[in-house]
Amino acid sequence: MNSTSGVAVHSKPCLICRRRRVKCDRLRPCSNCTRSKQLCSYDAVEPGLENSIVSNAGTNHPGAEDLRDRLAKLEEMMAAMLTQNSSPTGEVNAREGSSDDIIKLHENRASATVTRSDLDTNNAKGLADQAGQLVFQDGYSACFDPEFWAVMTTEVDDLRILLNPPAPIEGLSSWLSLAVLGLPQVHPTDLSTAQPTLAQSNDLCRLFCENINCKTQLVHNGFFHRSVTHWRRGSEPLPQEFEAFIFTTYLLTTNSLAPEVVEKTFATNKSLLVANFHQAVQASLSKLNFLVSDKVWVLVALVQYTTFLFRRNVHHGAIAMLGITVRVAQNQGHHRDPAHYPLTKWVGEIRRRIWNQICCLDALAITNFGAESCLPATADCIPPINANDDEWKASRFASPSSLPGGSSGYTDMTYTLVEREISDLTRKLTKIGSQETEWKKNEIQQLERKLNKLYFLDVDRTLPAQTVIVAMAEVRLSTLKLGIKYREAISSKTAPSNVQDHEVFLAAVELLEAIDYHIRTFSSNGWDWIFLDNVPWLAIAIVLVQIPQATIRRLDVVRAQRQIEIVFHRYEDPDRSLAHCRLWKILVDLRRQDHSFWVAGNTPDAVIVHPADYVPENPLSTGATIINENFMMDYTTPLDQSDLFIYDETLDLPDMNDLSW
């Protein structure tokens, strides 16, 4: 390190230049970041640099001594604040420690809280590592998490593409804007014409319980059926609020069905039916002025509508509605654990279920779109009890003795509890520095052991309802592991080794194959949405970037190209189209570069798979799903050395089943 003409020079390139692998002049800011209008940052303040900067500032600014005094005072204040806040945010008062729920709350938060020493160690690594990527240009501004796939992908050298206006979505953006501003709703107030027939309503309610609520457990099944009966008879105390909820139920259920099922059951086009229910949901929520509502049914309707937006891959609309939903839930106090208040066990269970689904949606926003968590710091609501719905006496006047004890193993609540565990882990990993990969891998391993101990030891592989839980955990945890593995590859050196590149490439291909397998396997149960909700953005990007590499084996190229064609064909479906998503443009550009590679004649024709010619393999029966102890599918296809495509034999690359995870 040296200083020339009073300007401090770093010994290493800035983070942006290292990621883009371009030459850096090591100034702050460097010339590359200045030209591209990026936020220039370095790993940490290097020894001697701070003194150099201060001394240079002292020669030019007479008030440097006063500035140092003020900085010292600020450091003392921050140290005092850290001491005062050393206990986890939202910690329960000691006088409330007699409650069993409070004890569980303490145990749960103690296991999920990052320790003070860990935080101090992490802070020593430099806050710049956790600042993420700030993109701004001509009045536009956006911030992305440092673990966001587009930020990590080195081939995406200009994130300003994300500032381009997205393709308009008819009937959605304008409604959101009007609703947030509190303007009058523009839809007709008479919603009776939007109601389905009694037979159709019964079918939708049944499919909702079988396909949707069996995994989210947002509402108790028995309580749901009883409330529907009261509403139809006119005895529901809050009829308009429940009407908004039932419309979101119809909307979510219809959206999850295959077009041919909708055509057969309701004798109408799926897109038309979804659009009608969508308009009815917007009209009913607008009529209730949901922004300031204190009705629980309105909140449940908001949660389900936000879930629908995520499943339609409506990026900005879903995140905006999630923020609104969190604020409404916070105003109603759902973020605080019911054990703090004199509520019955049944009421507390319902409130925990609502907040549980919000936590899962928050993790979905982090994983899919790089958003920061919008949960309040005071949130301490623990997950629901692991019990079957028929064990509950669905009444606010139920005696405490009727409370289910909760257990390990499979129950109606197991799926959403596993999803909540993974969602909490996702938020926890965002608080750990990007370079702390060993710490992150340790957290994932701890959760894997916990899930195996509590839920997966006695999984009945003949029951799809249990197997799908393991499959979901496989995909979610493998996605987190892929991000860590990719981060290690790009951070280990300026140019990652071919072995590292190939390991990451195989992991990405394996993840895409697992997702495709599970979609085809569980579609007959109506659960394909579980694997469609989480778009494998990073895996797709890695495969697109690595396919043209000369060290990729021919058989692996065939597998990768096939999965890319399947993925792009899948998301051309209007029901889940990503054409309106700005993130999709990045993948489209990467694929266009990949297409140039194929046109150049660098691979045999057998590699290219056209969507129109693709016929999925017959999946195994849902009772015979093959999943190994590492949550990944077992493949037995041998790799023939004759299938190598410009492959270097000296690399000694492991086969897919030999990967450590």
Side-chain angles (χ1 to χ4, degrees):
M1 181 190 324
N2 53 59
S3 179
T4 306
S5 302
V7 179
V9 180
H10 287 258
S11 61
K12 296 181 181 180
C14 71
L15 297 177
I16 300 298
C17 291
R18 286 165 58 189
R19 181 174 64 84
R20 298 177 59 185
R21 301 177 186 175
V22 297
K23 187 175 181 180
C24 179
D25 56 18
R26 303 178 184 179
L27 301 177
R28 185 189 290 269
C30 70
S31 57
N32 293 331
C33 292
T34 301
R35 284 195 302 270
S36 60
K37 298 182 180 179
Q38 301 285 342
L39 180 62
C40 186
S41 59
Y42 292 82
D43 283 334
V45 177
E46 302 178 29
L49 180 59
E50 183 178 0
N51 293 334
S52 174
I53 296 175
V54 172
S55 61
N56 290 331
T59 60
N60 298 325
H61 303 283
E65 185 66 31
D66 179 61
L67 179 61
R68 283 193 291 269
D69 293 339
R70 294 171 62 186
L71 286 174
K73 293 180 180 180
L74 286 174
E75 290 174 354
E76 293 177 0
M77 293 173 61
M78 291 180 65
M81 292 171 63
L82 287 174
T83 302
Q84 294 174 2
N85 296 327
S86 58
S87 60
T89 304
E91 191 72 26
V92 185
N93 194 298
R95 60 184 174 85
E96 298 170 333
S98 59
S99 170
D100 292 339
D101 291 303
I102 295 299
I103 295 175
K104 293 179 182 178
L105 173 61
H106 276 287
E107 294 175 348
N108 186 71
R109 292 186 60 81
S111 63
T113 303
V114 181
T115 64
R116 172 68 184 279
S117 60
D118 291 337
L119 287 175
D120 290 341
T121 302
N122 192 49
N123 289 336
K125 298 294 183 180
L127 295 177
D129 185 42
Q130 304 179 43
Q133 186 72 39
L134 183 66
V135 185
F136 59 94
Q137 179 183 11
D138 299 334
Y140 292 84
S141 181
C143 183
F144 300 96
D145 187 86
E147 298 302 305
F148 184 40
W149 69 270
V151 174
M152 290 195 298
T153 307
T154 57
E155 285 70 18
V156 182
D157 58 357
D158 192 353
L159 288 175
R160 286 175 292 178
I161 187 177
L162 299 177
L163 299 179
N164 296 330
I169 306 172
E170 184 177 356
L172 173 65
S173 300
S174 59
W175 178 84
L176 279 174
S177 301
L178 291 174
V180 171
L181 291 174
L183 298 179
Q185 54 90 16
V186 294
H187 301 294
T189 56
D190 183 12
L191 297 174
S192 59
T193 57
Q195 289 288 349
T197 65
L198 180 60
Q200 292 174 340
S201 176
N202 288 336
D203 286 335
L204 287 170
C205 290
R206 174 181 58 82
L207 291 170
F208 170 74
C209 293
E210 294 176 355
N211 296 352
I212 308 297
N213 196 58
C214 64
K215 301 308 174 191
T216 63
Q217 287 295 316
L218 181 60
V219 293
H220 182 277
N221 280 329
F223 183 71
F224 168 72
H225 288 294
R226 188 175 67 192
S227 299
V228 170
T229 301
H230 287 324
W231 176 67
R232 288 173 176 173
R233 293 175 177 175
S235 57
E236 167 62 40
L238 301 170
Q240 291 185 336
E241 288 76 8
F242 188 85
E243 183 181 50
F245 160 73
I246 202 67
F247 272 129
T248 60
T249 299
Y250 296 156
L251 178 63
L252 259 181
T253 305
T254 306
N255 184 68
S256 70
L257 299 176
E260 56 271 18
V261 175
V262 175
E263 188 76 30
K264 179 180 179 180
T265 306
F266 305 102
T268 186
N269 179 270
K270 176 181 176 178
S271 299
L272 179 60
L273 189 60
V274 169
N276 289 340
F277 285 144
H278 193 180
Q279 186 178 26
V281 168
Q282 293 178 341
S284 58
L285 288 175
S286 298
K287 185 167 61 175
L288 294 171
N289 196 10
F290 65 87
L291 284 176
V292 295
S293 177
D294 54 3
K295 306 298 191 301
V296 177
W297 279 126
V298 174
L299 174 61
V300 178
L302 283 175
V303 173
Q304 294 205 139
Y305 181 57
T306 306
T307 304
F308 164 78
L309 294 180
F310 274 107
R311 292 184 183 169
R312 297 287 287 195
N313 293 311
V314 182
H315 174 194
H316 283 80
I319 294 178
M321 281 302 300
L322 177 61
I324 295 172
T325 302
V326 169
R327 173 50 68 179
V328 174
Q330 189 176 2
N331 290 343
Q332 296 185 14
H334 288 266
H335 65 302
R336 301 309 306 269
D337 194 79
H340 297 308
Y341 313 104
L343 301 174
T344 63
K345 302 298 183 181
W346 163 251
V347 173
E349 170 71 8
I350 293 301
R351 296 177 70 87
R352 285 173 178 148
R353 291 190 182 196
I354 295 173
W355 188 253
N356 189 78
Q357 179 64 7
I358 291 176
C359 292
C360 295
L361 292 176
D362 182 70
L364 197 61
I366 296 172
T367 303
N368 275 11
F369 305 115
E372 290 189 354
S373 173
C374 62
L375 303 186
T378 54
D380 60 1
C381 185
I382 64 176
I385 295 177
N386 189 29
N388 294 311
D389 272 6
D390 57 11
E391 298 180 48
W392 284 95
K393 187 174 182 181
S395 171
R396 59 181 299 186
F397 304 108
S399 62
S401 61
S402 65
L403 175 70
S407 63
S408 60
Y410 178 80
T411 68
D412 294 342
M413 190 60 64
T414 301
Y415 179 94
T416 191
L417 290 178
V418 172
E419 186 179 18
R420 172 67 179 274
E421 293 280 3
I422 299 174
S423 299
D424 290 344
L425 174 66
T426 301
R427 272 182 294 275
K428 188 174 183 179
L429 294 181
T430 62
K431 300 176 182 178
I432 303 176
S434 299
Q435 306 303 322
E436 299 289 346
T437 55
E438 292 301 324
W439 186 359
K440 291 186 176 184
K441 287 191 287 187
N442 182 60
E443 294 290 344
I444 295 177
Q445 291 172 359
Q446 289 184 21
L447 179 59
E448 286 178 337
R449 289 193 291 267
K450 181 179 180 180
L451 295 180
N452 274 315
K453 180 180 179 180
L454 293 180
Y455 306 114
F456 295 157
L457 285 180
D458 300 321
V459 168
D460 188 344
R461 301 303 176 92
T462 65
L463 299 177
Q466 298 188 28
T467 308
V468 73
I469 304 176
V470 184
M472 179 272 292
E474 164 204 321
V475 171
R476 295 286 295 275
L477 293 176
S478 297
T479 301
L480 295 175
K481 292 177 180 179
L482 179 62
I484 296 174
K485 183 178 286 287
Y486 184 65
R487 170 67 70 180
E488 287 180 327
I490 64 177
S491 301
S492 60
K493 57 185 70 176
T494 304
S497 66
N498 291 330
V499 174
Q500 287 177 306
D501 280 344
H502 197 75
E503 287 180 348
V504 173
F505 175 79
L506 286 179
V509 174
E510 184 182 14
L511 178 57
L512 294 180
E513 289 175 335
I515 292 174
D516 179 58
Y517 175 86
H518 294 321
I519 289 174
R520 293 185 284 112
T521 300
F522 295 105
S523 60
S524 60
N525 303 94
W527 298 332
D528 52 344
W529 58 267
I530 293 174
F531 308 98
L532 291 170
D533 280 2
N534 289 274
V535 181
W537 298 97
L538 179 60
I540 299 172
I542 290 173
V543 172
L544 287 173
V545 169
Q546 292 292 331
I547 279 180
Q549 302 299 320
T551 57
I552 304 302
R553 292 175 287 188
R554 175 183 173 183
L555 181 59
D556 295 332
V557 171
V558 174
R559 293 168 52 198
Q561 183 67 4
R562 172 176 175 153
Q563 290 305 314
I564 290 299
E565 297 296 336
I566 293 173
V567 165
F568 274 81
H569 181 58
R570 177 181 299 141
Y571 289 107
E572 289 173 357
D573 185 341
D575 289 337
R576 60 182 70 94
S577 175
L578 289 170
H580 55 263
C581 183
R582 294 182 291 195
L583 295 173
W584 190 247
K585 295 180 181 179
I586 295 178
L587 298 183
V588 171
D589 289 343
L590 291 176
R591 191 192 187 197
R592 187 178 296 114
Q593 299 171 14
D594 173 45
H595 179 69
S596 301
F597 167 77
W598 301 115
V599 171
N602 294 316
T603 187
D605 294 337
V607 175
I608 302 178
V609 181
H610 298 285
D613 301 330
Y614 168 65
V615 179
E617 300 174 358
N618 292 326
L620 300 176
S621 65
T622 53
T625 306
I626 305 175
I627 303 175
N628 65 25
E629 66 277 4
N630 292 324
F631 297 179
M632 296 306 295
M633 298 188 313
D634 286 331
Y635 292 89
T636 57
T637 303
L639 295 179
D640 190 346
Q641 293 295 320
S642 63
D643 287 327
L644 301 183
F645 174 57
I646 319 180
Y647 171 61
D648 185 359
E649 296 284 355
T650 63
L651 292 180
D652 192 25
L653 299 176
D655 289 336
M656 178 172 56
N657 282 329
D658 294 332
L659 296 179
S660 60
W661 58 277

